[in-house]
Structure formats: structure tokens, C-alpha cells
Amino acid sequence: MTSTPVSPSLPQVLVFAASDPSSGAGIQADLLTLASLGCHPLTAITALTVQDTTGVQSVHPVAAELLEQQARTVLEDMPVHAFKIGVLGSVENVVAVAEILSDYPEIPLIFDPVLASGRGDELSGEEIIAAMRELLLPQTTLLTPNAPEARRLAESDEDEEEPSIEVCAKRLIEMGAQYVLITGTHENTAQVINTLYGPDGVIRRDEWERLPGSYHGSGCTLASAIAGCLAGGASIEDAVRDAQDYTWQTLKNGFRGGMGQFIPDRFFWARGGDETAEQAGANDEPKADA
């Protein structure tokens, strides 16, 4: 019996990321975001974590062989319209993912280089970062670091002072990323300023109201939303614009599921409410975790 070629009615996005039991961040956040935007999410779990809304206790990478089996089994069966990468957990997993992606150069890759949790728990050491620079950035369609991540990825031994965001973006594009969206949640500005860079410099710069809460998984939400928009056929600029709007709305309608950071409500539109994080009783921390 011969099989019939598959033509999925929904855009399908394959996510490489770690599991978060709180579903605030990680692969659970990716699943919620992509489903909310009308995509069918596919997953390859890179690590198991022990964490909640207050912080990460431990990270347990899966074996690279198991990670590769997860991804290749799905890819042999199901067409994929975009890739999204989050926490990878080990150098071996970086290598495995890079090898998989090299077989699908035509599929856009959104790379969220999660280097630390919102609390500051380290999730990617220097060896992993070096492997990311060498193996993943040259395959990346869009990199989505926050400002501290951009500086860490782009730092040079020759720097006498902290490089500017513009210099970081230029270096990251020189390392191979086609586009870089640097988010400004960690910067000391009245508004959150997110800037999209391409080979010729700034493509768009967006300012967003700085919400009063601290949010668990906002960066995962943004990167997955961009991946979902690209999978649906949007251009890079339109995907970045629409994903930012969606993400800001999830934060505005965020809820406090535990005793720590707020969780973005990825299905805010289904509840018909317009409750802000502040109205929900958001804490006074002046930053959002990207």
C-alpha cells in the first residue's frame, strides 16, 4: 500500500526546547503560543528541568541520540514550515540540532538563545555558547536575544567597554544570522524598545509600554509567535510586528499562577477579557523576562 502525500491544513512548527513543569516557559510555552496562533506544534525535547515561577533548580539534558531520534522521526513523517530553538542543554545537543537543521536549509529557523532564567539561573555555559556561535548562528534566519544575551553572544576579548546594541547586532549578523531582533526589556528605558536588524542596519524599531510585572516565558512566547507567523507565510518584518503585538497582549493579560513571576496568558483572546497584569495584582518588579 502506498502512502498519500501529506498536505497539512495547519502550518507546522518543530520546536527544540526544554520542558518546564510550570508551563510558563520552555516547550510548554511554545506549544501554547503556536496553538493559539493557529499552528500545529511539533516537539523535540532537549532537556528536563526542575523549575517553577520563582526560578530554575536544575537542568537535565536528554541524550543527543534521543534528541536526534525525536526530531528525525517527526521530520520523516510530517512537513515542517518553521523551526524554533530554545534551551538546548548541552554541547552535544547543539551539535545534533545543527546537523539536523543542515538537512533543511530552506526552512526558516527562529533561534531564542536562552542563556539564563529570569532570576539569573545559568542555562547555557561558555562551551554551549561557543558551539551556538559556530554551528547555529550561520543557519539562523532570525535570532531573538534580549540585550544581555546579545552582549554575551557578541562579546569580544578586544572590547574595552560594553558594546552597544548596534555593535552587537552587527557582530551577530557577521557571525551568520540573517536577522537579529534585540529586545529591550532589561534596558533602563521608560518604554521597552525592540529593534530588528538586517544586513543593512535597522529594519524596524518598536516601542511598547513597560508593564509593571515580571513575566516567566515572555521570550519563548515572542520567538514562537514569530515562528508561527513565518510558518503561516508572513514576511520577517510582518512576523516580527505581529508577534510583538501578540506577546505584549499575553503579558498585559498575564496571571499569577504561583508565588513568583507572572505567566503570559497565551489564550487571552479566547477569554474575552481585557484585564491587565497590573489589575491582576502584578508585583512591582520593573522588568519582563525575555
Side-chain angles (χ1 to χ4, degrees):
M1 185 175 73
T2 58
S3 59
T4 303
V6 177
S7 297
S9 58
L10 301 178
Q12 300 187 144
V13 178
L14 176 55
V15 179
F16 298 89
S19 174
D20 172 10
S22 77
S23 292
I27 211 157
Q28 288 87 343
D30 301 321
L31 289 166
L32 289 165
T33 299
L34 290 165
S36 177
L37 292 175
C39 296
H40 180 63
L42 313 172
T43 62
I45 295 177
T46 61
L48 301 178
T49 70
V50 178
Q51 65 175 298
D52 55 21
T53 61
T54 65
V56 179
Q57 296 182 34
S58 58
V59 179
H60 306 271
V62 304
E65 295 81 2
L66 178 57
L67 172 58
E68 182 175 4
Q69 289 172 12
Q70 292 178 75
R72 291 203 182 276
T73 299
V74 169
L75 284 163
E76 289 171 5
D77 177 50
M78 307 173 78
V80 170
H81 302 91
F83 292 116
K84 186 264 180 179
I85 296 178
V87 169
L88 291 174
S90 69
V91 172
E92 292 79 10
N93 284 351
V94 173
V95 173
V97 171
E99 290 179 351
I100 294 165
L101 296 175
S102 68
D103 292 334
Y104 301 88
E106 73 284 358
I107 299 176
L109 166 63
I110 308 306
F111 181 18
D112 179 20
V114 185
L115 306 185
S117 72
R119 189 178 67 173
D121 310 292
E122 185 166 286
L123 299 174
S124 300
E126 290 304 321
E127 289 186 0
I128 294 177
I129 292 173
M132 288 176 175
R133 292 189 189 108
E134 179 180 354
L135 300 175
L136 291 179
L137 288 189
Q139 301 190 67
T140 296
T141 306
L142 175 64
L143 186 71
T144 63
N146 58 39
E149 289 167 341
R151 291 188 175 102
R152 191 170 175 192
L153 282 168
E155 66 185 359
S156 169
D157 292 338
E158 299 178 0
D159 291 334
E160 295 183 359
E161 58 185 25
E162 189 174 74
S164 68
I165 293 300
E166 290 72 19
V167 168
C168 291
K170 185 175 185 294
R171 289 177 181 176
L172 293 169
I173 288 172
E174 289 173 349
M175 291 179 194
Q178 293 180 41
Y179 301 92
V180 178
L181 174 65
I182 300 182
T183 59
T185 51
H186 291 71
E187 298 295 271
N188 187 25
T189 55
Q191 301 284 89
V192 173
I193 302 172
N194 300 334
T195 309
L196 175 64
Y197 297 88
D200 297 322
V202 175
I203 295 175
R204 64 179 298 126
R205 180 176 282 115
D206 298 285
E207 294 188 11
W208 298 91
E209 177 187 349
R210 187 176 290 279
L211 298 169
S214 176
Y215 300 89
H216 184 48
S218 59
C220 304
T221 304
L222 177 60
S224 286
I226 295 171
C229 291
L230 287 177
S235 66
I236 284 286
E237 187 171 355
D238 287 348
V240 167
R241 178 199 64 204
D242 293 346
Q244 286 183 86
D245 180 70
Y246 168 82
T247 301
W248 190 85
Q249 293 292 339
T250 69
L251 303 182
K252 178 183 177 184
N253 291 280
F255 63 96
R256 193 165 195 178
M259 294 184 289
Q261 293 180 308
F262 276 66
I263 295 175
D265 183 1
R266 284 96 183 184
F267 282 89
F268 65 89
W269 53 265
R271 308 184 209 288
D274 190 33
E275 184 179 67
T276 66
E278 183 178 14
Q279 290 169 331
N283 58 32
D284 294 326
E285 295 179 66
K287 64 179 181 179
D289 175 29

